[in-house]
């Protein structure tokens, strides 16, 4: 068979397709120790060629893999300053992903994310500097402190509404900042703890190997945050919370069916707070110091702008936003104060135009395109298509739609040709040479469908008495008599059929 | 407690109430948390600074150094601040309300847009005018009254009286004018107002202009006490927001009570010898957190409960 070439037309989304040979059993690699698969391949058949094919139903893991691999591969070849930008991006993205877990998955509008990071970082750093705890143990102290801080913060979350809770957490951050700045032990360094021991050897600090090591650490941190996201958002906890996300009614529904969404929210909050504690310990180690700026409103707003630009409540949004804002804020230092204006402008434009940030733009564009296509279809229908837009989608043979459209237009044109003169001409001479208009009309009638086609029946053999019947169009079903009129001459019968058809045409 | 402290507390309360009422009205009627209120404040301050700087030679040439001159100057300062605030309100209306008011996630998106406007404006002011503080002409003059042994500075008295006048004008406008009736209807129930033929789009513009003008007035009054700088809007914004929330968003009396409470709290904490000015912010937040934990919907929530 000759290989046919297919062109990409229509409104189907582009899909990644694999061609299995159809003989071998499908091999699906599983994630170790789980029943999950790495990629979501689905078997199907091509509707035209009937070949077997395998469709990648969820392309997100692929994009994640490509993006993270690119980051990991490209960064070692960048100059020193860009390596630190990449590391900062990883740290911010990790914080944002965990924050997204709190805001998006748990639906708690907390602004104390950086405060948790800061508190955990301060405790870990203080333990290291003042009590001589070795640095690996900072990764234990951090999450413990984060968990405690999270527990304290989470206590009023079920009582307060969104904005009130946001204000409360902002107040907590401010109190933390003032407390740290006022600590007498730290006044000599303006509230900062310096000389923190780190996984980066002191001799390497701010040198290239140290920066690369820091980047690898930050990258692992980001991976860890994404794993936490995956395990919380896409497993049981996330499912429970998704049921209660929408509105008050959803919450009532959840209570009615026995989903304890408040407990689930609290659990998510605590898990992400502990994870933020790890980030805090890492933060203190990465900079070998920690300062009160982490509690400041500016820093918080910067992180918030990342989430907003990427899209609130999505992990990919948090990462994309972190990439954009970090590149502008840390990578274009020569722009000066214009950087923040640029970030604000991006934030403004994205929020006005996009429903859910950049990560949701694709979906929004698809919706927009679908809506426009529907509108165009409706417009075509108004102009003369027979099929309603909703129906048209379901009609498999698209030829049928165009035939109906053509017929409708043809009928409207033919209607204009029907005049008293035309009828008189046909009455005069049903057969034989006709004018152009009449032959057009008759041609259309001749092509009519079998169902309800009129036929003339001779009532008695050898006698000129005729009546008109209509064919049923179904095999085995006899024709029905149209009316009880009888015609003495064949030409009269011809003309009567013609009039009936003209009547049908004008009514359609 | 001496009278000077009371006056200081009232002074703070007056400025905070101007900010908080604007935020509160805007939230309950248009459904928008206006984070650009601080930017409006700063822009109005700068507008007043530019205008007074520009017209000062003309006024001096026309009136000399008479009382009339300072009255005209005061008019120019307050008028320019009010106009600039109202213009900012129009900008916010065009960017944060009109394009998205019928789109999904409106309230969150409006908050984000106004926040972006705030950040952008503050940085823009920094870029154009630099971080230097600018002093505005003192329209109330220098000096103080002595009443029962307490010293009351003119600017404090002026701020309290000016804020009281503006607030009563606003409340009277809300109470007695046709437009004010529409605004109050929207504050009570936006959907019901829409059903009775009150257009959200049309009514939102005067509300935004009004709240902007209130912020401008606050800027004009506060500039008598402190300097104008690009970041001068941040603290009033934070205070206004916290007080609006403390008062229960959307409740004007709640916001006023909240402003009085916070004003007195700050004055007292600042005056206490072992706490001092450094702990004012923490004390405020601590107080608000306490109130919110006891009363999750703020003071206005308390008022609502008693009404029901």
């Amino acid at each position: 068979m000759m290989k046919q070439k297919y062109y990409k037309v229509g409104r189907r989304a582009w899909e990644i397709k694999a061609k299995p040979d159809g003989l071998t059993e499908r091999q699906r690699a599983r994630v170790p120790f789980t029943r999950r698969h790495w990629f979501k391949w689905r078997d199907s058949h091509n509707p035209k060629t009937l070949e077997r094919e395998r469709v990648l139903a969820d392309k997100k893991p692929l994009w994640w893999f490509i993006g993270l691999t690119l980051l990991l591969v490209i960064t070692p070849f960048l100059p020193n300053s860009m390596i630190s930008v990449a590391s900062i991006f990883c740290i911010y993205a990790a914080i944002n992903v965990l924050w997204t877990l709190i805001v998006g998955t748990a639906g708690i509008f907390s602004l104390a994310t950086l405060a948790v990071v800061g508190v955990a970082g301060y405790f870990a750093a203080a333990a290291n500097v003042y009590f001589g705890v070795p640095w690996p143990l900072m990764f234990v102290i951090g999450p413990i402190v984060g968990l405690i801080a999270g527990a304290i913060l989470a206590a009023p979350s079920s009582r307060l509404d969104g904005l009130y809770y946001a204000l409360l957490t902002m107040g907590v951050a401010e109190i933390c900042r003032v407390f740290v700045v006022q600590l007498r032990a730290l006044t000599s360094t303006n509230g900062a703890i310096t000389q923190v021991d780190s996984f980066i050897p002191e001799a390497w600090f701010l040198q290239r190997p140290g920066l690369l090591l820091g980047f690898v650490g930050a990258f692992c941190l980001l991976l860890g945050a994404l794993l936490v996201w995956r395990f919380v958002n896409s497993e049981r906890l996330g499912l429970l919370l998704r049921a209660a996300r929408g509105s008050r009614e959803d919450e009532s529904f959840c209570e009615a069916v026995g989903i304890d969404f408040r407990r689930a929210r609290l659990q998510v909050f605590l898990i992400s707070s502990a994870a933020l504690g790890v980030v805090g310990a890492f933060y203190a180690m990465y900079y070998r110091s920690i300062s009160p700026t982490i509690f400041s409103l500016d820093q918080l707003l910067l992180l918030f702008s990342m989430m907003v630009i990427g899209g609130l409540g999505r992990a990919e949004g948090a990462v994309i936003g972190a990439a954009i804002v970090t590149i502008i804020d840390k990578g274009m230092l020569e722009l000066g104060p214009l950087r923040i204006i640029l970030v604000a402008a991006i934030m403004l434009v994205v929020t006005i135009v996009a429903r859910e940030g950049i990560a949701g733009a694709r979906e929004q564009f698809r919706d927009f395109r679908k809506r426009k296509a529907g509108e165009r279809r409706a417009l075509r229908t108004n102009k003369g298509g027979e099929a309603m837009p909703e129906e048209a989608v379901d009609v498999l043979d698209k030829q049928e739609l165009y035939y109906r459209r053509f017929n409708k237009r043809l009928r409207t044109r033919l209607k204009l040709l029907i005049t008293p003169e035309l009828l008189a001409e046909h009455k005069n001479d049903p057969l034989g040479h006709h004018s152009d208009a009449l032959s057009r009309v008759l041609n259309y009638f001749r092509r009519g469908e079998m169902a309800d086609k009129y036929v003339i029946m001779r009532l008695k053999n050898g006698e000129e008495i005729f009546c008109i019947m209509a064919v049923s169009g179904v095999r085995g079903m006899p024709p029905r008599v149209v009316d009880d009129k009888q015609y003495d001459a064949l030409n009269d019968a011809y003309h009567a059929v013609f009039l009936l058809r003209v009547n049908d045409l004008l009514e359609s | 407690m001496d009278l000077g402290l009371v006056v200081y507390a009232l002074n703070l309360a007056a400025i905070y109430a101007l900010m908080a009422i604007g935020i509160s009205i805007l939230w309950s009627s248009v459904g928008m948390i206006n984070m650009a209120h601080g930017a409006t404040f700063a822009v109005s301050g700068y507008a007043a600074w530019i205008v007074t700087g520009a017209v000062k030679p003309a006024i001096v040439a026309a009136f000399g150094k008479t009382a009339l001159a300072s009255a005209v100057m005061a008019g120019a300062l307050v008028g320019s601040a009010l106009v600039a605030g109202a213009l900012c309100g129009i900008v916010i209306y065009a960017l944060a309300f009109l394009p998205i008011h019928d789109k999904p996630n409106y309230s969150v998106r409006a908050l984000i847009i106004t926040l972006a406007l705030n950040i952008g404006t503050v940085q823009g002011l920094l870029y154009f005018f630099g971080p230097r503080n600018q002093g505005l002409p003192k329209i109330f003059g220098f000096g103080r009254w002595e009443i029962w042994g307490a010293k009351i500075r003119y600017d404090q008295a002026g701020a309290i009286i000016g804020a009281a006048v503006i607030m009563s004008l606003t409340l009277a406008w809300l109470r007695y004018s046709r437009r004010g009736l529409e605004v109050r209807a929207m504050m009570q129930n936006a959907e019901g107002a829409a059903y009775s033929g009150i257009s959200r789009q049309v009514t939102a513009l005067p509300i935004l202009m009004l709240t902007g003008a209130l912020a401008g007035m606050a800027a004009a009054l506060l500039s008598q006490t402190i300097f104008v700088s690009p970041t001068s809007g941040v603290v009033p914004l934070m205070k206004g927001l916290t007080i609006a929330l403390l008062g229960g968003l959307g409740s004007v009396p709640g916001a006023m009570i909240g402003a009085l409470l916070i004003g007195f709290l700050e004055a007292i904490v600042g005056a206490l010898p072992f706490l001092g000015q450094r702990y004012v912010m923490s004390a405020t937040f601590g107080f608000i957190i306490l109130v919110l934990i006891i009363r999750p919907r703020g003071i206005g929530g308390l008022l609502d409960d008693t009404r029901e």
Side-chain angles (χ1 to χ4, degrees):
Chain A
M1 197 181 95
M2 205 183 79
K3 187 80 185 152
Q4 260 181 296
K5 185 174 168 65
Y6 291 113
Y7 295 94
K8 287 194 186 98
V9 287
R11 59 196 179 82
R12 285 225 181 113
W14 174 74
E15 276 167 342
I16 296 174
K17 283 177 183 166
K19 288 236 168 81
D21 57 9
L23 296 172
T24 48
E25 190 70 7
R26 171 117 93 90
Q27 303 250 325
R28 288 197 290 187
R30 289 180 193 270
V31 182
F33 310 117
T34 65
R35 290 177 300 157
R36 316 273 174 212
H37 298 120
W38 289 106
F39 289 110
K40 192 178 173 186
W41 289 108
R42 290 288 175 267
D43 284 332
S44 68
H45 286 92
N46 187 320
K48 285 200 172 156
T49 59
L50 296 183
E51 276 173 291
R52 267 186 72 183
E53 55 189 21
R54 209 161 274 168
V55 181
L56 188 57
D58 186 5
K59 291 193 280 281
K60 265 186 204 155
L62 197 67
W63 297 128
W64 276 112
F65 181 74
I66 292 173
L68 291 175
T69 313
L70 272 182
L71 178 69
L72 196 60
V73 169
I74 289 175
T75 309
F77 300 101
L78 294 174
N80 281 356
S81 61
M82 289 316 282
I83 290 181
S84 61
V85 169
S87 313
I88 293 169
F89 155 70
C90 286
I91 296 174
Y92 279 166
I95 296 177
N96 269 335
V97 166
L98 295 171
W99 194 2
T100 302
L101 214 49
I102 296 176
V103 173
T105 309
I108 301 175
F109 213 81
S110 165
L111 296 178
T113 319
L114 273 177
V116 173
V117 172
V119 167
Y122 261 99
F123 270 92
N128 178 267
V129 173
Y130 299 114
F131 300 103
V133 176
W135 67 262
L137 279 183
M138 285 171 73
F139 281 122
V140 180
I141 296 171
I144 292 173
V145 175
L147 196 66
I148 295 169
I152 295 170
L153 278 173
S157 71
S158 58
R159 253 179 87 78
L160 291 176
D161 269 4
L163 277 168
Y164 295 90
Y165 186 71
L167 173 76
L168 186 143
T169 48
M170 210 156 73
V172 169
E174 173 64 20
I175 289 172
C176 286
R177 193 184 66 83
V178 173
F179 180 74
V180 168
V181 172
Q182 301 299 333
L183 271 181
R184 262 179 224 296
L186 299 175
T187 33
S188 58
T189 51
N190 258 339
I193 295 180
T194 51
Q195 312 279 314
V196 183
D197 201 9
S198 165
F199 61 94
I200 309 169
E202 195 156 5
W204 283 6
F205 189 58
L206 292 182
Q207 308 300 313
R208 193 166 177 90
L211 285 174
L212 281 175
L213 193 59
F215 168 70
V216 171
F219 188 78
C220 291
L221 193 74
L222 175 57
L223 282 187
L226 287 172
L227 265 184
V228 171
W229 159 271
R230 173 69 179 72
F231 280 124
V232 173
N233 188 58
S234 315
E235 303 283 330
R236 190 173 170 74
L237 268 178
L239 279 178
L240 291 181
L241 285 171
R242 224 161 294 154
R245 184 178 292 167
S247 58
R248 291 262 165 219
E249 286 91 64
D250 287 352
E251 290 183 359
S252 316
F253 171 77
C254 281
E255 272 185 329
V257 295
I259 296 175
D260 193 350
F261 65 90
R262 292 207 179 79
R263 211 174 117 209
R265 266 180 203 169
L266 224 61
Q267 282 171 349
V268 171
F269 196 98
L270 290 181
I271 291 171
S272 23
S273 293
L276 284 169
V278 176
V279 178
F282 182 89
Y283 189 91
M285 279 190 236
Y286 178 79
Y287 287 108
R288 292 186 149 262
S289 69
I290 187 160
S291 72
T293 47
I294 194 161
F295 297 114
S296 73
L297 194 63
D298 293 344
Q299 200 75 8
L300 185 74
L301 288 183
L302 202 67
L303 256 89
F304 187 64
S305 69
M306 294 177 192
M307 289 224 298
V308 165
I309 289 174
L312 268 176
R314 296 156 176 264
E316 64 268 32
V319 175
I320 293 171
I324 293 172
V325 176
T326 316
I327 286 172
I328 292 174
D329 187 49
K330 300 280 189 287
M332 304 184 183
L333 287 174
E334 69 277 3
L335 282 181
L338 278 179
R339 300 194 311 263
I340 305 293
I341 298 180
L342 192 61
V343 169
I346 293 177
M347 200 165 145
L348 193 82
V349 171
V350 165
T351 317
I352 289 179
V353 175
R355 208 159 48 193
E356 284 183 4
I358 290 178
R362 192 149 171 247
E363 219 167 284
Q364 193 181 353
F365 178 66
R366 265 194 199 154
D367 282 355
F368 168 78
R369 212 167 58 167
K370 260 185 209 158
R371 206 183 66 230
K372 283 288 159 202
E375 279 170 12
R376 277 198 298 273
R377 228 168 19 228
L379 207 65
R380 279 205 298 273
T381 312
N382 279 344
K383 269 182 166 170
E386 275 264 273
M388 295 305 284
E390 299 81 27
E391 183 195 352
V393 178
D394 295 334
V395 176
L396 270 177
D397 186 4
K398 304 298 178 199
Q399 191 81 25
E400 170 70 20
L401 297 179
Y402 285 96
Y403 182 63
R404 286 197 219 170
R405 244 178 92 191
F406 167 77
N407 255 355
K408 170 121 188 192
R409 275 152 79 178
L410 183 64
R411 278 201 300 275
T412 43
R413 244 180 297 136
L414 290 181
K415 276 178 198 169
L416 300 176
L417 299 180
I418 309 280
T419 52
E421 293 83 53
L422 190 101
L423 299 183
E425 184 190 347
H426 188 269
K427 190 179 171 65
N428 220 7
D429 189 9
L431 306 174
H433 285 296
H434 290 138
S435 68
D436 178 62
L438 185 56
S439 33
R440 276 169 193 275
V441 173
L442 285 173
N443 260 333
Y444 170 73
F445 289 157
R446 280 182 200 116
R447 277 206 326 267
E449 282 175 21
M450 218 38 212
D452 280 338
K453 202 166 191 173
Y454 297 109
V455 286
I456 299 170
M457 191 170 83
R458 190 189 290 268
L459 282 175
K460 280 181 189 166
N461 267 347
E463 284 186 45
E464 296 283 292
I465 304 173
F466 304 96
C467 74
I468 297 173
M469 306 183 83
V471 181
S472 69
V474 181
R475 243 179 115 89
M477 285 269 285
R480 64 189 165 85
V481 180
V482 173
D483 51 18
D484 52 2
K485 279 183 191 154
Q486 296 187 352
Y487 304 94
D488 296 335
L490 191 56
N491 275 0
D492 288 352
Y494 281 146
H495 188 63
V497 167
F498 177 75
L499 286 180
L500 278 171
R501 281 181 176 168
V502 165
N503 203 26
D504 287 354
L505 172 67
L506 289 179
E507 269 177 8
S508 72
Chain B
M1 198 197 312
D2 65 325
L3 196 63
L5 197 64
V6 174
V7 172
Y8 177 59
L10 281 177
N11 185 9
L12 287 178
I15 308 280
Y16 295 164
L18 279 180
M19 297 297 282
I21 285 178
I23 291 172
S24 213
I25 290 178
L26 203 54
W27 165 253
S28 54
S29 55
V30 186
M32 169 198 287
I33 293 281
N34 189 0
M35 299 295 276
H37 223 54
T40 310
F41 186 93
V43 168
S44 310
Y46 269 94
W49 176 63
I50 292 170
V51 169
T52 49
V55 299
K56 195 171 187 181
I59 291 174
V60 169
F63 303 105
K65 278 198 177 276
T66 57
L68 192 62
S70 58
V72 172
M73 192 57 129
L77 191 147
V78 172
S80 56
L82 287 179
V83 168
L87 286 178
C88 283
I90 294 176
V91 171
I92 295 169
Y93 175 80
L95 285 176
F97 178 77
L98 259 196
I100 56 162
H101 73 279
D102 49 356
K103 301 272 164 62
N105 295 341
Y106 157 67
S107 59
V108 175
R109 281 165 80 182
L111 187 146
I112 294 166
I113 291 174
T114 48
L115 184 67
L117 275 176
N118 197 32
I119 300 172
T121 314
V122 169
Q123 294 295 326
L125 287 176
L126 259 179
Y127 189 69
F128 284 114
F129 297 107
R132 227 158 57 84
N133 289 335
Q134 315 286 356
L136 262 68
K138 302 293 174 212
I139 50 175
F140 303 119
F142 295 98
R144 53 186 67 179
W145 291 312
E146 300 251 350
I147 301 174
W148 300 312
K151 300 183 180 73
I152 302 172
R153 291 207 312 274
Y154 288 165
D155 58 280
Q156 286 181 334
I160 295 168
I161 295 166
V165 167
I166 279 286
M167 266 186 287
S168 13
L169 279 179
T170 309
L171 291 181
W173 179 77
L174 279 177
R175 183 80 188 76
Y176 296 111
S177 76
R178 181 86 198 162
R179 192 62 88 187
L181 184 70
E182 289 178 5
V183 173
R184 276 187 298 138
M186 265 176 75
M187 284 170 72
Q188 279 174 9
N189 188 337
E191 227 168 286
Y195 282 135
S196 32
I198 297 171
S199 161
R200 200 149 160 253
Q201 273 137 296
V202 174
T203 318
L205 183 61
I207 296 174
L208 272 158
M209 285 171 69
L210 170 76
T211 53
L214 282 179
M217 188 66 195
L221 291 178
L222 197 62
S223 68
Q224 298 306 307
T225 313
I226 61 164
F227 296 108
V228 171
S229 75
T231 50
S232 64
V234 175
V235 172
L237 168 69
M238 295 300 300
K239 300 281 179 186
L241 258 181
T242 49
I243 289 167
L245 280 159
L246 172 70
L249 269 177
S251 154
V252 174
M256 283 194 173
I257 296 171
L260 276 175
L261 280 178
I262 295 294
F264 273 94
L265 185 78
E266 289 194 356
I268 292 167
V269 170
L272 287 177
F274 56 92
L275 284 174
Q277 215 58 42
R278 296 179 303 187
Y279 286 103
V280 163
M281 200 82 169
S282 303
T284 320
F285 273 121
F287 175 71
I288 290 172
I289 288 172
L290 205 68
V291 170
L292 285 185
I293 286 173
I294 298 167
R295 275 278 141 202
R297 305 213 58 119
I299 299 168
L302 189 79
L303 298 177
D304 280 348
D305 282 351
T306 50
R307 194 193 300 154
E308 280 162 11

